[in-house]
Amino acid sequence: MTLETIYEKASGIIGIDGMTVNERLYVSGLMDIFDQAKKNDKDLAKTILKALKVDLKSIEKID
């Protein structure tokens, strides 16, 4: 999946600010990709969270 596609999926979510991280991942359809990225590509996982407007403190926990 390209970065453009990730950002497109993330930008299409209505009411994203009131959602938990898991809700954002589920609604965007990025949950499976994120789970794989957490294991194999930490930078991609962080990019997905940035696209979903997750706070930096939470993003920094991925290491």
Side-chain angles (χ1 to χ4, degrees):
M1 179 172 292
T2 66
L3 293 179
E4 181 179 341
T5 304
I6 289 169
Y7 277 92
E8 284 175 8
K9 287 178 173 264
S11 68
I13 300 172
I14 297 170
I16 195 169
D17 292 330
M19 295 182 182
T20 66
V21 175
N22 281 338
E23 289 171 330
R24 295 173 192 202
L25 288 165
Y26 178 78
V27 171
S28 67
L30 295 169
M31 187 169 284
D32 291 337
I33 295 164
F34 175 75
D35 287 341
Q36 287 297 319
K38 261 180 43 178
K39 296 174 188 173
N40 304 316
D41 188 347
K42 304 286 187 198
D43 289 333
L44 178 58
K46 290 178 182 181
T47 298
I48 291 169
L49 294 181
K50 287 177 189 173
L52 292 171
K53 300 179 183 176
V54 174
D55 63 286
L56 289 176
K57 186 177 178 182
S58 297
I59 293 171
E60 289 171 354
K61 290 181 181 178
I62 296 179
D63 282 324

Short mmCIF file of all heavy atoms in Angstrom, two decimals:
data_model
loop_
_atom_site.label_atom_id
_atom_site.label_comp_id
_atom_site.label_asym_id
_atom_site.label_seq_id
_atom_site.Cartn_x
_atom_site.Cartn_y
_atom_site.Cartn_z
N MET A 1 0.85 -1.17 0.00
CA MET A 1 0.00 0.00 0.00
C MET A 1 0.89 1.24 0.00
O MET A 1 1.86 1.31 0.75
CB MET A 1 -0.90 -0.02 1.24
CG MET A 1 -1.81 1.17 1.33
SD MET A 1 -3.02 1.07 2.66
CE MET A 1 -4.04 -0.24 2.06
N THR A 2 0.54 2.21 -0.81
CA THR A 2 1.34 3.43 -0.91
C THR A 2 0.99 4.40 0.21
O THR A 2 -0.09 4.32 0.81
CB THR A 2 1.11 4.13 -2.25
OG1 THR A 2 -0.24 4.60 -2.30
CG2 THR A 2 1.38 3.21 -3.43
N LEU A 3 1.88 5.33 0.46
CA LEU A 3 1.62 6.37 1.46
C LEU A 3 0.42 7.20 1.05
O LEU A 3 -0.38 7.61 1.90
CB LEU A 3 2.85 7.25 1.65
CG LEU A 3 4.06 6.58 2.28
CD1 LEU A 3 5.22 7.56 2.38
CD2 LEU A 3 3.73 6.02 3.65
N GLU A 4 0.28 7.45 -0.24
CA GLU A 4 -0.86 8.22 -0.74
C GLU A 4 -2.17 7.52 -0.38
O GLU A 4 -3.12 8.16 0.08
CB GLU A 4 -0.75 8.39 -2.25
CG GLU A 4 -1.87 9.20 -2.85
CD GLU A 4 -1.74 9.38 -4.36
OE1 GLU A 4 -0.63 9.21 -4.89
OE2 GLU A 4 -2.75 9.68 -4.99
N THR A 5 -2.23 6.21 -0.56
CA THR A 5 -3.42 5.45 -0.23
C THR A 5 -3.72 5.50 1.27
O THR A 5 -4.87 5.64 1.67
CB THR A 5 -3.28 3.98 -0.69
OG1 THR A 5 -2.97 3.96 -2.08
CG2 THR A 5 -4.54 3.19 -0.43
N ILE A 6 -2.68 5.40 2.07
CA ILE A 6 -2.86 5.48 3.53
C ILE A 6 -3.47 6.82 3.91
O ILE A 6 -4.44 6.88 4.67
CB ILE A 6 -1.51 5.26 4.25
CG1 ILE A 6 -1.08 3.80 4.10
CG2 ILE A 6 -1.60 5.67 5.72
CD1 ILE A 6 0.34 3.52 4.53
N TYR A 7 -2.93 7.91 3.36
CA TYR A 7 -3.44 9.23 3.69
C TYR A 7 -4.85 9.44 3.14
O TYR A 7 -5.67 10.11 3.77
CB TYR A 7 -2.48 10.33 3.23
CG TYR A 7 -1.38 10.56 4.24
CD1 TYR A 7 -0.17 9.88 4.15
CD2 TYR A 7 -1.56 11.42 5.31
CE1 TYR A 7 0.83 10.08 5.09
CE2 TYR A 7 -0.57 11.62 6.26
CZ TYR A 7 0.62 10.95 6.14
OH TYR A 7 1.60 11.14 7.08
N GLU A 8 -5.15 8.87 1.99
CA GLU A 8 -6.51 8.96 1.44
C GLU A 8 -7.51 8.27 2.35
O GLU A 8 -8.59 8.80 2.63
CB GLU A 8 -6.57 8.34 0.05
CG GLU A 8 -5.98 9.21 -1.04
CD GLU A 8 -5.95 8.52 -2.39
OE1 GLU A 8 -6.52 7.43 -2.54
OE2 GLU A 8 -5.33 9.08 -3.30
N LYS A 9 -7.17 7.07 2.81
CA LYS A 9 -8.06 6.33 3.71
C LYS A 9 -8.26 7.09 5.01
O LYS A 9 -9.36 7.17 5.54
CB LYS A 9 -7.51 4.93 4.00
CG LYS A 9 -7.63 3.97 2.84
CD LYS A 9 -7.02 2.63 3.22
CE LYS A 9 -7.27 1.61 2.15
NZ LYS A 9 -8.42 0.79 2.43
N ALA A 10 -7.19 7.66 5.54
CA ALA A 10 -7.26 8.40 6.81
C ALA A 10 -8.07 9.68 6.67
O ALA A 10 -8.85 10.02 7.55
CB ALA A 10 -5.86 8.70 7.31
N SER A 11 -7.92 10.37 5.56
CA SER A 11 -8.60 11.66 5.40
C SER A 11 -10.09 11.51 5.16
O SER A 11 -10.84 12.46 5.33
CB SER A 11 -7.96 12.45 4.26
OG SER A 11 -8.20 11.82 3.02
N GLY A 12 -10.53 10.32 4.81
CA GLY A 12 -11.94 10.10 4.53
C GLY A 12 -12.79 9.81 5.77
O GLY A 12 -13.99 9.61 5.66
N ILE A 13 -12.18 9.83 6.94
CA ILE A 13 -12.90 9.49 8.17
C ILE A 13 -13.59 10.73 8.74
O ILE A 13 -12.95 11.75 8.99
CB ILE A 13 -11.95 8.91 9.23
CG1 ILE A 13 -11.27 7.65 8.70
CG2 ILE A 13 -12.70 8.60 10.52
CD1 ILE A 13 -10.18 7.13 9.59
N ILE A 14 -14.88 10.62 8.94
CA ILE A 14 -15.66 11.70 9.53
C ILE A 14 -15.72 11.50 11.04
O ILE A 14 -16.00 10.40 11.51
CB ILE A 14 -17.07 11.74 8.93
CG1 ILE A 14 -16.98 12.03 7.43
CG2 ILE A 14 -17.94 12.77 9.64
CD1 ILE A 14 -18.27 11.87 6.68
N GLY A 15 -15.44 12.54 11.80
CA GLY A 15 -15.49 12.46 13.25
C GLY A 15 -14.28 11.81 13.87
O GLY A 15 -14.36 11.26 14.97
N ILE A 16 -13.15 11.89 13.20
CA ILE A 16 -11.94 11.20 13.65
C ILE A 16 -11.47 11.68 15.03
O ILE A 16 -10.94 10.90 15.81
CB ILE A 16 -10.81 11.34 12.61
CG1 ILE A 16 -9.69 10.33 12.90
CG2 ILE A 16 -10.28 12.75 12.55
CD1 ILE A 16 -8.67 10.21 11.79
N ASP A 17 -11.69 12.95 15.34
CA ASP A 17 -11.19 13.49 16.60
C ASP A 17 -11.83 12.85 17.83
O ASP A 17 -11.23 12.80 18.88
CB ASP A 17 -11.39 15.01 16.64
CG ASP A 17 -10.51 15.72 15.63
OD1 ASP A 17 -9.41 15.20 15.34
OD2 ASP A 17 -10.92 16.78 15.14
N GLY A 18 -13.03 12.32 17.70
CA GLY A 18 -13.71 11.71 18.83
C GLY A 18 -13.50 10.21 18.94
O GLY A 18 -14.12 9.55 19.76
N MET A 19 -12.59 9.66 18.13
CA MET A 19 -12.37 8.21 18.09
C MET A 19 -11.09 7.80 18.81
O MET A 19 -10.13 8.56 18.85
CB MET A 19 -12.26 7.73 16.64
CG MET A 19 -13.49 7.89 15.83
SD MET A 19 -13.19 7.24 14.16
CE MET A 19 -14.75 7.57 13.41
N THR A 20 -11.10 6.57 19.31
CA THR A 20 -9.89 6.00 19.87
C THR A 20 -8.97 5.59 18.71
O THR A 20 -9.40 5.56 17.55
CB THR A 20 -10.19 4.75 20.71
OG1 THR A 20 -10.70 3.73 19.85
CG2 THR A 20 -11.18 5.06 21.83
N VAL A 21 -7.75 5.25 19.04
CA VAL A 21 -6.80 4.81 18.00
C VAL A 21 -7.33 3.56 17.31
O VAL A 21 -7.30 3.46 16.08
CB VAL A 21 -5.40 4.56 18.60
CG1 VAL A 21 -4.46 3.99 17.54
CG2 VAL A 21 -4.83 5.84 19.17
N ASN A 22 -7.83 2.60 18.07
CA ASN A 22 -8.35 1.37 17.47
C ASN A 22 -9.55 1.65 16.57
O ASN A 22 -9.67 1.03 15.50
CB ASN A 22 -8.73 0.35 18.55
CG ASN A 22 -7.52 -0.36 19.09
OD1 ASN A 22 -6.48 -0.43 18.46
ND2 ASN A 22 -7.65 -0.90 20.29
N GLU A 23 -10.40 2.56 16.97
CA GLU A 23 -11.54 2.92 16.12
C GLU A 23 -11.06 3.54 14.81
O GLU A 23 -11.58 3.23 13.74
CB GLU A 23 -12.47 3.89 16.85
CG GLU A 23 -13.25 3.24 17.98
CD GLU A 23 -14.00 4.24 18.83
OE1 GLU A 23 -13.56 5.41 18.97
OE2 GLU A 23 -15.04 3.84 19.40
N ARG A 24 -10.08 4.40 14.90
CA ARG A 24 -9.53 5.04 13.70
C ARG A 24 -8.93 4.00 12.75
O ARG A 24 -9.14 4.07 11.54
CB ARG A 24 -8.45 6.06 14.08
CG ARG A 24 -8.98 7.22 14.87
CD ARG A 24 -7.88 8.12 15.37
NE ARG A 24 -8.41 9.06 16.35
CZ ARG A 24 -7.84 10.20 16.65
NH1 ARG A 24 -6.72 10.58 16.07
NH2 ARG A 24 -8.38 10.99 17.54
N LEU A 25 -8.18 3.06 13.32
CA LEU A 25 -7.58 2.01 12.49
C LEU A 25 -8.65 1.15 11.84
O LEU A 25 -8.56 0.82 10.65
CB LEU A 25 -6.65 1.14 13.35
CG LEU A 25 -5.34 1.79 13.77
CD1 LEU A 25 -4.68 0.99 14.88
CD2 LEU A 25 -4.40 1.93 12.57
N TYR A 26 -9.68 0.80 12.59
CA TYR A 26 -10.74 -0.06 12.07
C TYR A 26 -11.54 0.64 10.97
O TYR A 26 -11.73 0.11 9.88
CB TYR A 26 -11.67 -0.49 13.21
CG TYR A 26 -12.82 -1.34 12.72
CD1 TYR A 26 -12.63 -2.68 12.43
CD2 TYR A 26 -14.08 -0.80 12.54
CE1 TYR A 26 -13.68 -3.47 11.96
CE2 TYR A 26 -15.13 -1.57 12.08
CZ TYR A 26 -14.92 -2.90 11.79
OH TYR A 26 -15.95 -3.66 11.32
N VAL A 27 -12.00 1.86 11.26
CA VAL A 27 -12.83 2.59 10.31
C VAL A 27 -12.07 2.90 9.02
O VAL A 27 -12.64 2.87 7.93
CB VAL A 27 -13.38 3.89 10.96
CG1 VAL A 27 -14.05 4.78 9.95
CG2 VAL A 27 -14.33 3.54 12.09
N SER A 28 -10.78 3.15 9.13
CA SER A 28 -9.98 3.48 7.95
C SER A 28 -9.63 2.25 7.12
O SER A 28 -9.20 2.37 5.98
CB SER A 28 -8.68 4.18 8.36
OG SER A 28 -7.85 3.28 9.08
N GLY A 29 -9.77 1.05 7.73
CA GLY A 29 -9.37 -0.16 7.03
C GLY A 29 -7.87 -0.41 7.09
O GLY A 29 -7.33 -1.22 6.32
N LEU A 30 -7.19 0.26 8.01
CA LEU A 30 -5.73 0.16 8.10
C LEU A 30 -5.26 -0.72 9.25
O LEU A 30 -4.06 -0.83 9.50
CB LEU A 30 -5.12 1.56 8.24
CG LEU A 30 -5.31 2.49 7.04
CD1 LEU A 30 -4.90 3.91 7.40
CD2 LEU A 30 -4.52 1.98 5.85
N MET A 31 -6.16 -1.35 9.96
CA MET A 31 -5.79 -2.12 11.15
C MET A 31 -4.82 -3.26 10.82
O MET A 31 -3.80 -3.41 11.50
CB MET A 31 -7.01 -2.66 11.87
CG MET A 31 -6.66 -3.31 13.19
SD MET A 31 -8.07 -3.70 14.22
CE MET A 31 -8.48 -2.09 14.85
N ASP A 32 -5.12 -4.07 9.83
CA ASP A 32 -4.25 -5.20 9.50
C ASP A 32 -2.87 -4.74 9.04
O ASP A 32 -1.85 -5.32 9.44
CB ASP A 32 -4.89 -6.08 8.42
CG ASP A 32 -6.11 -6.83 8.93
OD1 ASP A 32 -6.22 -7.03 10.15
OD2 ASP A 32 -6.96 -7.21 8.09
N ILE A 33 -2.85 -3.70 8.23
CA ILE A 33 -1.58 -3.18 7.74
C ILE A 33 -0.77 -2.62 8.91
O ILE A 33 0.44 -2.82 9.00
CB ILE A 33 -1.81 -2.09 6.67
CG1 ILE A 33 -2.47 -2.73 5.45
CG2 ILE A 33 -0.53 -1.38 6.29
CD1 ILE A 33 -3.10 -1.75 4.51
N PHE A 34 -1.44 -1.92 9.83
CA PHE A 34 -0.77 -1.37 11.00
C PHE A 34 -0.19 -2.49 11.87
O PHE A 34 0.94 -2.40 12.31
CB PHE A 34 -1.74 -0.50 11.82
CG PHE A 34 -1.14 0.00 13.09
CD1 PHE A 34 -0.22 1.03 13.08
CD2 PHE A 34 -1.48 -0.57 14.30
CE1 PHE A 34 0.35 1.49 14.26
CE2 PHE A 34 -0.92 -0.12 15.48
CZ PHE A 34 0.00 0.92 15.46
N ASP A 35 -0.98 -3.53 12.11
CA ASP A 35 -0.50 -4.65 12.94
C ASP A 35 0.75 -5.28 12.35
O ASP A 35 1.70 -5.61 13.07
CB ASP A 35 -1.60 -5.69 13.13
CG ASP A 35 -2.69 -5.23 14.07
OD1 ASP A 35 -2.46 -4.29 14.87
OD2 ASP A 35 -3.79 -5.81 14.01
N GLN A 36 0.77 -5.47 11.03
CA GLN A 36 1.96 -6.02 10.37
C GLN A 36 3.14 -5.05 10.46
O GLN A 36 4.28 -5.46 10.70
CB GLN A 36 1.66 -6.33 8.90
CG GLN A 36 0.78 -7.54 8.71
CD GLN A 36 1.44 -8.80 9.22
OE1 GLN A 36 2.62 -9.04 9.03
NE2 GLN A 36 0.66 -9.63 9.88
N ALA A 37 2.85 -3.76 10.26
CA ALA A 37 3.91 -2.75 10.30
C ALA A 37 4.52 -2.66 11.69
O ALA A 37 5.73 -2.43 11.82
CB ALA A 37 3.36 -1.40 9.85
N LYS A 38 3.72 -2.83 12.73
CA LYS A 38 4.26 -2.78 14.09
C LYS A 38 5.32 -3.84 14.30
O LYS A 38 6.29 -3.63 15.03
CB LYS A 38 3.13 -2.99 15.11
CG LYS A 38 2.61 -1.72 15.69
CD LYS A 38 1.51 -1.88 16.71
CE LYS A 38 1.67 -2.95 17.70
NZ LYS A 38 0.58 -3.01 18.69
N LYS A 39 5.17 -4.97 13.64
CA LYS A 39 6.13 -6.07 13.77
C LYS A 39 7.34 -5.90 12.86
O LYS A 39 8.45 -6.26 13.23
CB LYS A 39 5.45 -7.40 13.44
CG LYS A 39 4.33 -7.77 14.39
CD LYS A 39 3.63 -9.03 13.91
CE LYS A 39 2.39 -9.30 14.73
NZ LYS A 39 1.60 -10.41 14.19
N ASN A 40 7.10 -5.40 11.64
CA ASN A 40 8.13 -5.44 10.61
C ASN A 40 8.65 -4.09 10.12
O ASN A 40 9.71 -4.04 9.50
CB ASN A 40 7.59 -6.20 9.38
CG ASN A 40 7.11 -7.58 9.75
OD1 ASN A 40 7.76 -8.29 10.49
ND2 ASN A 40 5.95 -7.96 9.25
N ASP A 41 7.90 -3.02 10.34
CA ASP A 41 8.29 -1.72 9.78
C ASP A 41 7.75 -0.61 10.68
O ASP A 41 6.70 -0.03 10.44
CB ASP A 41 7.72 -1.58 8.36
CG ASP A 41 8.21 -0.35 7.63
OD1 ASP A 41 8.80 0.55 8.28
OD2 ASP A 41 7.99 -0.26 6.41
N LYS A 42 8.50 -0.30 11.74
CA LYS A 42 8.06 0.68 12.74
C LYS A 42 7.80 2.05 12.13
O LYS A 42 6.88 2.75 12.53
CB LYS A 42 9.10 0.81 13.86
CG LYS A 42 9.45 -0.48 14.55
CD LYS A 42 8.38 -0.93 15.47
CE LYS A 42 8.89 -2.13 16.26
NZ LYS A 42 7.86 -2.90 16.86
N ASP A 43 8.58 2.43 11.13
CA ASP A 43 8.39 3.73 10.49
C ASP A 43 7.04 3.80 9.78
O ASP A 43 6.35 4.82 9.85
CB ASP A 43 9.51 4.04 9.51
CG ASP A 43 10.83 4.34 10.21
OD1 ASP A 43 10.80 4.80 11.38
OD2 ASP A 43 11.89 4.12 9.60
N LEU A 44 6.65 2.72 9.12
CA LEU A 44 5.34 2.68 8.46
C LEU A 44 4.23 2.74 9.50
O LEU A 44 3.23 3.44 9.31
CB LEU A 44 5.20 1.43 7.60
CG LEU A 44 3.85 1.26 6.90
CD1 LEU A 44 3.54 2.46 6.00
CD2 LEU A 44 3.82 -0.04 6.11
N ALA A 45 4.39 2.04 10.60
CA ALA A 45 3.39 2.07 11.67
C ALA A 45 3.20 3.49 12.18
O ALA A 45 2.07 3.95 12.38
CB ALA A 45 3.78 1.14 12.80
N LYS A 46 4.29 4.20 12.37
CA LYS A 46 4.22 5.58 12.84
C LYS A 46 3.57 6.48 11.80
O LYS A 46 2.79 7.37 12.14
CB LYS A 46 5.62 6.10 13.18
CG LYS A 46 6.21 5.45 14.42
CD LYS A 46 7.61 5.94 14.69
CE LYS A 46 8.20 5.26 15.91
NZ LYS A 46 9.55 5.73 16.22
N THR A 47 3.86 6.25 10.54
CA THR A 47 3.26 7.03 9.46
C THR A 47 1.75 6.83 9.43
O THR A 47 1.00 7.79 9.24
CB THR A 47 3.87 6.63 8.10
OG1 THR A 47 5.27 6.93 8.14
CG2 THR A 47 3.22 7.37 6.96
N ILE A 48 1.30 5.61 9.63
CA ILE A 48 -0.13 5.33 9.66
C ILE A 48 -0.79 6.10 10.80
O ILE A 48 -1.84 6.73 10.62
CB ILE A 48 -0.40 3.82 9.77
CG1 ILE A 48 0.02 3.11 8.48
CG2 ILE A 48 -1.87 3.55 10.10
CD1 ILE A 48 0.05 1.60 8.57
N LEU A 49 -0.17 6.09 11.96
CA LEU A 49 -0.73 6.82 13.10
C LEU A 49 -0.73 8.32 12.85
O LEU A 49 -1.69 9.01 13.22
CB LEU A 49 0.03 6.48 14.38
CG LEU A 49 -0.10 5.03 14.86
CD1 LEU A 49 0.69 4.84 16.15
CD2 LEU A 49 -1.55 4.63 15.05
N LYS A 50 0.30 8.84 12.22
CA LYS A 50 0.34 10.26 11.88
C LYS A 50 -0.79 10.60 10.92
O LYS A 50 -1.46 11.63 11.07
CB LYS A 50 1.68 10.64 11.26
CG LYS A 50 2.81 10.68 12.25
CD LYS A 50 4.13 10.98 11.56
CE LYS A 50 5.29 10.81 12.52
NZ LYS A 50 6.59 10.92 11.85
N ALA A 51 -1.01 9.75 9.94
CA ALA A 51 -2.09 9.98 8.99
C ALA A 51 -3.45 9.99 9.67
O ALA A 51 -4.36 10.71 9.26
CB ALA A 51 -2.06 8.91 7.89
N LEU A 52 -3.56 9.20 10.73
CA LEU A 52 -4.82 9.11 11.48
C LEU A 52 -4.91 10.16 12.59
O LEU A 52 -5.81 10.11 13.43
CB LEU A 52 -4.98 7.71 12.07
CG LEU A 52 -5.19 6.60 11.05
CD1 LEU A 52 -5.10 5.24 11.71
CD2 LEU A 52 -6.53 6.78 10.34
N LYS A 53 -3.98 11.10 12.59
CA LYS A 53 -3.97 12.21 13.54
C LYS A 53 -3.89 11.77 15.00
O LYS A 53 -4.53 12.33 15.88
CB LYS A 53 -5.18 13.11 13.32
CG LYS A 53 -5.23 13.71 11.94
CD LYS A 53 -6.45 14.57 11.75
CE LYS A 53 -6.50 15.09 10.32
NZ LYS A 53 -7.72 15.85 10.07
N VAL A 54 -3.09 10.75 15.25
CA VAL A 54 -2.86 10.27 16.61
C VAL A 54 -1.82 11.20 17.24
O VAL A 54 -0.90 11.66 16.56
CB VAL A 54 -2.36 8.80 16.59
CG1 VAL A 54 -1.96 8.34 17.98
CG2 VAL A 54 -3.44 7.91 16.01
N ASP A 55 -1.95 11.45 18.54
CA ASP A 55 -1.03 12.37 19.21
C ASP A 55 0.40 11.83 19.21
O ASP A 55 0.61 10.61 19.22
CB ASP A 55 -1.50 12.67 20.64
CG ASP A 55 -1.51 11.43 21.50
OD1 ASP A 55 -2.41 10.58 21.33
OD2 ASP A 55 -0.59 11.30 22.34
N LEU A 56 1.35 12.74 19.20
CA LEU A 56 2.77 12.37 19.10
C LEU A 56 3.23 11.51 20.28
O LEU A 56 4.05 10.61 20.11
CB LEU A 56 3.65 13.60 19.01
CG LEU A 56 3.56 14.37 17.69
CD1 LEU A 56 4.41 15.63 17.75
CD2 LEU A 56 4.00 13.49 16.53
N LYS A 57 2.69 11.75 21.46
CA LYS A 57 3.08 10.95 22.63
C LYS A 57 2.77 9.47 22.41
O LYS A 57 3.57 8.60 22.73
CB LYS A 57 2.36 11.47 23.87
CG LYS A 57 2.78 10.83 25.15
CD LYS A 57 2.06 11.45 26.34
CE LYS A 57 2.45 10.78 27.63
NZ LYS A 57 1.75 11.33 28.78
N SER A 58 1.62 9.20 21.82
CA SER A 58 1.25 7.80 21.53
C SER A 58 2.10 7.22 20.42
O SER A 58 2.49 6.05 20.48
CB SER A 58 -0.24 7.73 21.14
OG SER A 58 -1.05 8.15 22.21
N ILE A 59 2.38 8.02 19.42
CA ILE A 59 3.19 7.56 18.28
C ILE A 59 4.60 7.18 18.75
O ILE A 59 5.17 6.19 18.32
CB ILE A 59 3.24 8.61 17.17
CG1 ILE A 59 1.84 8.78 16.55
CG2 ILE A 59 4.26 8.25 16.10
CD1 ILE A 59 1.72 9.94 15.59
N GLU A 60 5.15 7.99 19.66
CA GLU A 60 6.52 7.76 20.13
C GLU A 60 6.66 6.47 20.93
O GLU A 60 7.76 5.97 21.10
CB GLU A 60 6.97 8.96 20.97
CG GLU A 60 7.21 10.19 20.14
CD GLU A 60 7.45 11.44 20.97
OE1 GLU A 60 7.32 11.38 22.22
OE2 GLU A 60 7.74 12.48 20.37
N LYS A 61 5.56 5.91 21.40
CA LYS A 61 5.60 4.66 22.16
C LYS A 61 5.94 3.45 21.30
O LYS A 61 6.27 2.39 21.81
CB LYS A 61 4.27 4.43 22.87
CG LYS A 61 4.02 5.40 24.00
CD LYS A 61 2.71 5.13 24.68
CE LYS A 61 2.45 6.12 25.80
NZ LYS A 61 1.16 5.89 26.45
N ILE A 62 5.86 3.61 19.99
CA ILE A 62 6.17 2.50 19.08
C ILE A 62 7.67 2.44 18.88
O ILE A 62 8.27 3.33 18.30
CB ILE A 62 5.45 2.66 17.73
CG1 ILE A 62 3.96 2.61 17.93
CG2 ILE A 62 5.93 1.61 16.73
CD1 ILE A 62 3.16 2.77 16.68
N ASP A 63 8.28 1.40 19.41
CA ASP A 63 9.73 1.19 19.24
C ASP A 63 10.08 -0.25 19.28
O ASP A 63 9.49 -1.11 19.72
CB ASP A 63 10.53 1.93 20.32
CG ASP A 63 10.65 3.41 20.01
OD1 ASP A 63 10.77 3.79 18.85
OD2 ASP A 63 10.61 4.19 20.98
#
